[in-house]
Amino acid sequence: LFAEPEFERIQSIDQLYLQANLLQPLFTSKVCGWALASSGHFAHKRDTRSFIAWQDACSDVSLADSIKWGSIKRPDRSFEKVSRSYGNDVSRLVDIVRQQIIFKSVRHVLDCLSTIASDPQAVICRVKNRLAIDYDAQKSAGYRDVLLDVSIVSEYTQQLGTDRHVCEVQLVLEQFQLLKTADGHHRYVEYRNKRAE
């Protein structure tokens, strides 16, 4: 199920960002397929406390245009993370390309996990299950989700040279997403900074 990717370590953050920009549209498309198969939702652009079912957005362009897609990680945060958490090893930065799927139930989260695991182009590199009963929620200031690091391996990504680029997809329960606020995220950033993460 899980793969230990074997590859030459990337030394350049510029190379990671080039790969990220090439991969972002393809990864977003993959995430949409996983969301469709598992009753997934996405946050609304103008009201992040409102969620759009991808199944509905597939048949309504105005809904699809209203989705707040994950953006490529800001370079300043990437530099901070590489220096604070990874000992300046750029190759360990695996969440430049990221998306989030929101679910109404744990059953739908499990459906999505099963869908990703059975996708022949998805190579799961790591799963961080912050919904697990034994997970210490103090590590994430009480926030919980299931986070997967995934590479997309296809003939096309091999041609692009992005088949070893690791992306992140967060599977979030609606109840936790509703607790997120701009102020709460600001406090989390302060908490993370104090922990030097």
Side-chain angles (χ1 to χ4, degrees):
L1 177 63
F2 304 108
E4 287 286 331
E6 293 179 19
F7 54 90
E8 202 172 305
R9 288 188 179 271
I10 290 178
Q11 308 268 330
S12 163
I13 203 156
D14 292 335
Q15 184 180 4
L16 276 178
Y17 271 87
L18 174 62
Q19 289 179 347
N21 280 287
L22 291 169
L23 195 53
Q24 175 83 353
L26 177 66
F27 186 66
T28 300
S29 176
K30 271 287 180 192
V31 167
C32 289
W34 300 334
L36 184 62
S38 57
S39 302
H41 294 70
F42 297 100
H44 194 283
K45 253 186 229 181
R46 289 177 293 285
D47 178 9
T48 55
R49 297 177 57 78
S50 175
F51 311 114
I52 299 168
W54 182 244
Q55 183 173 1
D56 296 340
C58 286
S59 58
D60 185 337
V61 175
S62 66
L63 279 179
D65 287 345
S66 298
I67 290 174
K68 180 180 190 245
W69 298 109
S71 60
I72 290 176
K73 184 184 282 290
R74 291 188 342 260
D76 61 322
R77 175 60 184 135
S78 292
F79 285 120
E80 188 177 77
K81 196 168 185 179
V82 165
S83 65
R84 283 185 180 176
S85 302
Y86 300 142
N88 292 319
D89 182 355
V90 171
S91 69
R92 294 182 61 199
L93 190 60
V94 297
D95 62 347
I96 294 176
V97 176
R98 64 254 171 100
Q99 290 297 340
Q100 177 186 71
I101 310 173
I102 302 161
F103 299 95
K104 293 194 176 285
S105 73
V106 173
R107 174 77 255 156
H108 294 141
V109 172
L110 292 171
D111 289 346
C112 191
L113 285 167
S114 177
T115 298
I116 295 169
S118 64
D119 185 331
Q121 294 181 344
V123 177
I124 300 172
C125 304
R126 178 181 76 148
V127 176
K128 187 186 282 188
N129 184 1
R130 293 189 279 215
L131 290 177
I133 293 170
D134 61 347
Y135 176 74
D136 180 3
Q138 290 183 2
K139 292 179 182 178
S140 57
Y143 180 74
R144 290 180 175 257
D145 64 6
V146 177
L147 185 146
L148 286 87
D149 292 337
V150 181
S151 292
I152 304 300
V153 180
S154 67
E155 188 176 325
Y156 182 65
T157 60
Q158 289 170 340
Q159 290 170 353
L160 288 176
T162 60
D163 55 306
R164 295 179 179 146
H165 190 101
V166 181
C167 306
E168 177 183 281
V169 61
Q170 297 172 354
L171 311 180
V172 183
L173 285 171
E174 184 179 276
Q175 299 93 317
F176 284 99
Q177 186 67 21
L178 286 169
L179 294 174
K180 284 184 176 181
T181 63
D183 186 47
H185 182 70
H186 177 73
R187 285 193 311 271
Y188 174 71
V189 169
E190 286 179 357
Y191 169 81
R192 183 187 66 205
N193 287 342
K194 286 180 181 172
R195 291 175 50 111
E197 293 177 341

